[in-house]
Amino acid sequence: MLEDFQFASLLVSTIRNAPVLIFAAMAGLFAERSGVIDLALEGKMLASAFVSAAVAYTTQNAWYGVAAGVAVSAALALLQGYVSITQKGNQLVGGIAINIAMSGLTFVLAQYFYQQGGRTPDLGQARLFDIVLPGTAAVADVPFLGWFYGKVIGGHSALVYLAFALIPIVHWVIYHSRFG
């Protein structure tokens, strides 16, 4: 029974945390298709996560945090594109430089602003809320189906659903549109 619980927790946790990697993978896919080797994905994720948490904590609005994280990631992508394309810089060196810079900068800024060992404070009410799907309460007592519908399919933030919904859209854009 304990093994089943651990597997269930692992499955739900995987689905809940997958969007971070899905969004980064999609960004890397678009960069690769445009001719840029994007080794800076980790640095962009780190900077975006830090800025998102800091802005959400400061404003107590999770959506402002998401917007700020997207803006920081886009700014780093523009910087990387400028260095790699306009200035003909080495893409690998530029990507690694962004990774190294962001791993140090986010830690130092977090320590400076929050004095918590490089971490941001608990967001509390500034977190994205979980979406409860319709009918979750009706099937909650049904064995397996209630758990599957309530925890695996439902009970995630909007970004989880957005990430999984974008997979077929990005596939179509890359492989079946003129843009791709």
Side-chain angles (χ1 to χ4, degrees):
M1 186 68 174
L2 183 61
E3 293 84 15
D4 293 340
F5 177 74
Q6 289 174 345
F7 174 75
S9 297
L10 183 64
L11 179 63
V12 171
S13 179
T14 299
I15 292 169
R16 185 173 294 273
N17 293 317
V20 174
L21 297 176
I22 291 172
F23 288 134
M26 287 183 207
L29 177 64
F30 279 106
E32 192 68 34
R33 295 288 286 198
S34 71
V36 174
I37 300 169
D38 196 355
L39 288 183
L41 288 172
E42 186 178 348
K44 292 173 191 168
M45 288 187 328
L46 189 58
S48 178
F50 170 74
V51 170
S52 292
V55 169
Y57 176 75
T58 303
T59 64
Q60 287 297 300
N61 186 324
W63 293 108
Y64 288 165
V66 170
V70 169
V72 164
S73 186
L76 286 172
L78 286 172
L79 173 67
Q80 184 182 16
Y82 175 76
V83 168
S84 298
I85 298 167
T86 306
Q87 298 300 315
K88 307 272 191 251
N90 188 316
Q91 296 175 20
L92 303 177
V93 173
I96 292 170
I98 288 173
N99 283 342
I100 292 170
M102 291 307 107
S103 16
L105 186 63
T106 54
F107 179 83
V108 169
L109 289 176
Q111 180 63 28
Y112 177 76
F113 289 121
Y114 304 110
Q115 292 85 35
Q116 293 186 359
R119 298 177 305 128
T120 54
D122 183 34
L123 298 180
Q125 297 299 320
R127 291 187 171 280
L128 291 173
F129 61 90
D130 292 339
I131 296 173
V132 179
L133 297 178
T136 300
V139 297
D141 294 331
V142 177
F144 183 74
L145 181 63
W147 167 79
F148 188 77
Y149 186 69
K151 300 284 187 197
V152 176
I153 297 174
H156 303 292
S157 73
L159 293 180
V160 173
Y161 298 110
L162 177 64
F164 284 101
L166 282 177
I167 292 171
I169 294 169
V170 167
H171 171 80
W172 182 84
V173 167
I174 292 291
Y175 296 109
H176 300 291
S177 75
R178 186 170 186 83
F179 179 76

